Amino acid sequence: MHKELEEIQLQCAKRVIQRDDFEKIELIGGIDLTFESIKENPTRAWASLVVIRLLDLGVVYQKVVEGVVDFPYIPTFLAFRELPLMLKLYQEAELKPDIFFIDGQGVAHPRTCGIASHFGVETGTVSVGVAKTRLFGYGKEPDRKRGSYSYLTHRGKVVGAILRTRDGVEPVYVSVGHRISLKTAIDLVLRTSLYRIPEPTRLAHNLLQRVRKGNL
């Protein structure tokens, strides 16, 4: 099975566009997922989208969908577990942002097609991977000051960036999803970061926490 999945990812990687391929970025959406049980399969899951304005970081739209996930958790094959629910969320969203931040990797992936790239290619949208941990590539720790970054590389090729979004806090790992350059991706993540995690994905995560606790 792994060989078939790898082939899908390799084909996806060929379609990824790593340059700015858009007219404007005014609305930025963040997508996050959570599972009722990480270990059980199948399990209930929820996906959230929060859309903010780049101008003032104000929230303009939010949506949550629920579904059943029945693909097992396999490292580097996250898209096959999470993408179906993300696509349902995308299809049902009444407002589509100009760009999506995805909690996961883009091209910083062994087969150059992590969840953020897979989502971007499948939907044809502009996407960026913003991960809390490193999956692929090597790079030195950036300076402790906000805005500092170093490149993630693999065999001499840049696959992403290690970005400090706040003074002295742990960095995030930014990589191209689809239809954007790494330089622009870094800039947009920094411009939308009040805390360690940029507002679109931070708010999407917080929304899911409230859903899980039954407060929505």
Side-chain angles (χ1 to χ4, degrees):
M1 181 179 75
H2 284 198
K3 283 292 179 194
E4 291 172 21
L5 301 181
E6 285 178 6
E7 185 56 34
I8 291 170
Q9 289 177 331
L10 291 169
Q11 291 303 316
C12 165
K14 291 177 183 176
R15 296 168 61 192
V16 171
I17 297 170
Q18 296 193 53
R19 66 175 187 279
D20 293 338
D21 181 37
F22 52 81
E23 291 182 7
K24 62 177 174 59
I25 299 286
E26 293 174 355
L27 298 178
I28 301 180
I31 291 181
D32 195 24
L33 273 85
T34 189
F35 302 94
E36 189 167 52
S37 170
I38 290 288
K39 293 176 181 174
E40 287 182 24
N41 193 51
T43 182
R44 271 204 311 166
W46 297 264
S48 63
L49 167 67
V50 172
V51 180
I52 69 167
R53 287 185 300 264
L54 179 58
L55 182 67
D56 60 4
L57 307 187
V59 175
V60 296
Y61 181 75
Q62 59 185 34
K63 186 172 186 69
V64 176
V65 297
E66 181 182 332
V68 174
V69 171
D70 58 8
F71 191 92
Y73 172 77
I74 309 171
T76 77
F77 295 105
L78 199 63
F80 299 97
R81 180 171 168 84
E82 298 189 353
L83 194 60
L85 196 57
M86 287 170 59
L87 292 178
K88 179 184 178 186
L89 176 66
Y90 174 77
Q91 287 154 5
E92 293 185 10
E94 291 87 359
L95 177 66
K96 305 283 198 292
D98 302 310
I99 184 172
F100 290 87
F101 285 1
I102 309 293
D103 179 25
Q105 314 291 341
V107 300
H109 180 275
R111 288 165 295 282
T112 326
C113 189
I115 182 78
S117 292
H118 218 128
F119 176 84
V121 167
E122 283 290 321
T123 58
T125 57
V126 185
S127 61
V128 173
V130 187
K132 295 182 277 293
T133 57
R134 181 183 69 84
L135 172 70
F136 186 70
Y138 298 93
K140 62 180 177 61
E141 186 85 358
D143 291 340
R144 303 290 289 169
K145 193 164 179 58
R146 170 184 158 85
S148 300
Y149 67 89
S150 57
Y151 289 117
L152 270 176
T153 62
H154 178 70
R155 294 179 178 170
K157 185 176 181 181
V158 173
V159 297
I162 310 168
L163 174 65
R164 191 85 63 189
T165 49
R166 284 195 79 186
D167 289 356
V169 301
E170 287 294 303
V172 294
Y173 297 81
V174 180
S175 58
V176 169
H178 186 46
R179 295 180 55 202
I180 194 168
S181 67
L182 180 58
K183 182 178 183 297
T184 303
I186 292 169
D187 176 58
L188 289 172
V189 169
L190 201 56
R191 286 173 66 185
T192 54
S193 292
L194 301 175
Y195 304 95
R196 180 192 174 208
I197 307 300
E199 287 299 277
T201 44
R202 188 184 75 85
L203 294 172
H205 173 79
N206 290 351
L207 177 59
L208 285 184
Q209 297 309 302
R210 296 199 299 276
V211 169
R212 287 292 300 272
K213 290 173 183 170
N215 293 336
L216 282 180

